[in-house]
Amino acid sequence: MSRSAHPAGPRHGDVMPEGHFTAPPADLNRLDPKVWSQTVVRDAGSGVVSVGGLDVQALAEEFGTPAYILDEQDFRSRCRAWREAFGTDADVYYAGKAFLSRAIVRWLREEGLNVDVCSGGELTVALTAGMPAERIAFHGNNKSEAELEQAVAAGVGHVVVDSFDELVRLSWIAERHGVRQKVLIRVTVGVEAHTHEFIATAHEDQKFGLSLSGGLAAEGVRRALTLDGLELVGIHSHIGSQIFDMAGFEVAARRVVGLLAEIKGEHGVELPEIDLGGGLGIAYTSEDDPREPAEIAKSLTEIVRRECAAAGLTPPRISVEPGRAIVGPTAFTLYRVGTVKELEGLRTYVSVDGGMSDNIRTALYDAEYSVALVSRASTAEPMLSRVVGKHCESGDIVVKDAFLPADLAPGDLVAVPATGAYCRSMASNYNHALKPPVVAVSAGAARVIVRRETEEDLLRLDIG
Ligand code: PLP
């Protein structure tokens, strides 16, 4: 039975399906390098897609599906691009929350990046993989005493303090350890990043940081400067996620430098560091236009220098914390199609063997993704599709609106690109799904860096 196609979107006379979609791409077999990792190519003869020199059929056979396939060469070259863009006068902290594993930590260490962690678990992964403690920054709005203890005992380079309570708690712990812990104070600069409401973090009405405009940030500085266990070295700001427009960062940088000037005026102290956070956007679809690290570095460095010159300050050392912009584009999720269900006049539902348990971002943030048939090429007409998972939720959507070839069939492999960030790290066991493995590929070799969960893993925790 042939399924109806939508050569130019929904057909005339159809009920208009709701959703966001543009006209189908001219060539469904083309893999846009903006959204696919560096070494992904489709073989001109067989039509099968490969990454790092390995074809997806072989990867699916060896490692099963669903699986996150991570392009190590791409990851390393993005690390280098960030490192080189910021040079030796600045620090790049990879935001571990995007995706952290011990292999990732080793690559970061080798490529000269630092790491930011936001839980005792992430800290343990970073330390056990050999990241020097002084290259680790520890974040979080409610770090437990045990976590602060762990961080101080390990000798982490920076703790980013988020509240008055934490200032006192951390100072006390540091004193007990006989050290002065270097800290930054996280401030909210009142910039609301142009992105989804739930992932914008610098407006005033939210849980992170001490507000600049309300005077809490200045009060935090006053208190930090009086505490014996703390060495206040700088100010931290993070304005949101998936941001393309540098204007928000510019305003944030200007306000942070303004605070440095106030601190100099009030205390006669010039803080030597500022951290402008992460949040740089990546291309999930061909419509997204991310900024390059070199452009970001130039823009941030210039604004900080200019503002410091105007305020009579020595420019502080800058740090940034990209997570998504490094790991996001380096991986795709490989799924096998299980069922294909056409809803006449609406769209075709393509069910894959994973779903919201391996990618919650679509359900949580209304995120947009692309998808492609990767186990073969096809000359069939484009078919308006929704890629859904196998969970017991109608909101279990992986890709809301996309065009796939109309001859798509059960057994085909499809891949969703740009799933390196906030997918494995936010994965769940909903419906007792087993979290997929992360398979790193490089120069014709593949290895599992995080293995697939097994039912034994689930049963081990369920002690009855
Ligand atoms: N730094 C901080 C403080 C964050 O909260 C986050 C993300 O929430 C990041 C860095 C990383 O953001 P992204 O992965 O969007 O670059």
Side-chain angles (χ1 to χ4, degrees):
M1 189 179 71
S2 89
R3 273 185 307 277
S4 48
H6 295 260
R11 292 156 302 174
H12 181 68
D14 281 349
V15 179
M16 190 68 168
E18 62 168 62
H20 168 90
F21 49 84
T22 51
D27 177 5
L28 279 182
N29 295 314
R30 180 175 176 271
L31 301 168
D32 185 345
K34 258 209 286 191
V35 295
W36 293 89
S37 72
Q38 219 175 68
T39 70
V40 167
V41 284
R42 189 186 289 278
D43 185 84
S46 68
V48 181
V49 169
S50 70
V51 55
L54 295 173
D55 87 55
V56 291
Q57 305 258 35
L59 289 168
E61 205 149 294
E62 186 171 355
F63 303 105
T65 55
Y68 303 103
I69 311 292
L70 199 154
D71 186 339
E72 180 180 342
Q73 181 183 313
D74 195 16
F75 184 91
R76 286 182 181 274
S77 69
R78 285 174 198 277
C79 288
R80 260 171 251 148
W82 278 87
R83 196 40 291 152
E84 282 159 19
F86 279 88
T88 51
D89 294 339
D91 295 305
V92 181
Y93 286 79
Y94 168 79
K97 66 205 75 163
F99 171 61
L100 201 65
S101 77
R102 288 188 281 184
I104 290 280
V105 173
R106 279 193 291 274
W107 301 343
L108 293 169
R109 200 186 59 209
E110 287 163 11
E111 300 300 341
L113 267 66
N114 299 348
V115 65
D116 109 37
V117 298
C118 64
S119 70
E122 288 183 1
L123 179 56
T124 299
V125 171
L127 290 170
T128 55
M131 180 59 78
E134 65 273 13
R135 283 167 59 186
I136 300 176
F138 192 22
H139 279 273
N141 66 301
N142 185 19
K143 307 171 193 78
S144 69
E145 249 179 71
E147 286 173 320
L148 291 172
E149 195 66 65
Q150 183 190 358
V152 172
V156 304
H158 292 98
V159 174
V160 181
V161 177
D162 197 279
S163 65
F164 296 155
D165 296 317
E166 194 190 2
L167 280 172
V168 177
R169 204 174 287 150
L170 178 62
S171 177
W172 176 71
I173 290 170
E175 280 191 75
R176 256 200 1 243
H177 282 260
V179 295
R180 284 188 82 207
Q181 176 62 51
K182 284 192 176 148
V183 297
L184 303 174
I185 291 183
R186 179 162 175 175
V187 304
T188 40
V189 292
V191 174
E192 187 171 348
H194 295 289
T195 184
H196 194 286
E197 179 183 7
F198 298 134
I199 48 176
T201 57
H203 53 293
E204 302 290 324
D205 189 5
Q206 45 103 4
K207 71 173 184 171
F208 289 110
L210 296 173
S211 109
L212 263 183
S213 65
L216 295 183
E219 178 57 21
V221 169
R222 261 173 231 127
R223 296 188 189 192
L225 289 172
T226 64
L227 289 164
D228 291 337
L230 305 185
E231 179 187 351
L232 178 64
V233 294
I235 300 296
H236 178 283
S237 150
H238 172 79
I239 59 169
S241 288
Q242 188 54 5
I243 303 165
F244 296 115
D245 184 354
M246 291 305 293
F249 286 99
E250 296 204 359
V251 176
R254 201 169 298 134
R255 294 188 182 167
V256 168
V257 173
L259 177 62
L260 295 184
E262 273 179 43
I263 295 168
K264 186 179 178 189
E266 183 176 340
H267 306 282
V269 174
E270 281 199 53
L271 298 184
E273 299 184 31
I274 61 171
D275 187 325
L276 295 171
L280 286 314
I282 62 166
Y284 286 103
T285 72
S286 296
E287 276 97 70
D288 293 329
D289 266 317
R291 309 268 79 82
E292 290 298 322
E295 186 192 342
I296 294 161
K298 186 167 179 285
S299 149
L300 292 182
T301 313
E302 275 177 12
I303 182 90
V304 171
R305 287 215 183 107
R306 195 165 62 235
E307 294 298 312
C308 285
L313 295 170
T314 312
R317 187 174 180 85
I318 299 175
S319 299
V320 285
E321 298 171 338
R324 183 192 320 267
I326 292 179
V327 73
T330 67
F332 60 80
T333 315
L334 187 60
Y335 298 105
R336 198 172 289 281
V337 174
T339 67
V340 181
K341 194 186 283 178
E342 183 191 359
L343 300 191
E344 186 62 32
L346 288 170
R347 73 185 93 235
T348 297
Y349 278 77
V350 174
S351 294
V352 295
D353 50 359
M356 65 195 299
S357 56
D358 57 71
N359 187 347
I360 190 65
R361 294 192 63 260
T362 308
L364 194 58
Y365 305 131
D366 217 11
E368 285 180 17
Y369 281 95
S370 331
V371 61
L373 168 62
V374 288
S375 45
R376 62 187 172 89
S378 169
T379 52
E381 294 289 302
M383 162 179 86
L384 180 62
S385 309
R386 178 160 287 175
V387 179
V388 295
K390 58 183 290 169
H391 296 285
C392 295
E393 282 283 336
S394 48
D396 173 25
I397 297 169
V398 181
V399 186
K400 214 164 157 194
D401 300 296
F403 287 91
L404 282 163
D407 63 353
L408 191 80
D412 280 331
L413 293 171
V414 293
V416 174
T419 57
Y422 305 106
C423 287
R424 180 58 178 78
S425 64
M426 294 177 109
S428 78
N429 289 119
Y430 181 46
N431 295 144
H432 280 195
L434 305 171
K435 290 180 194 163
V438 182
V439 179
V441 291
S442 179
R447 72 189 171 103
V448 174
I449 60 170
V450 180
R451 75 157 165 79
R452 184 185 300 284
E453 277 183 337
T454 62
E455 287 186 351
E456 289 71 52
D457 291 327
L458 298 184
L459 290 174
R460 216 176 16 244
L461 299 176
D462 181 348
I463 55 174

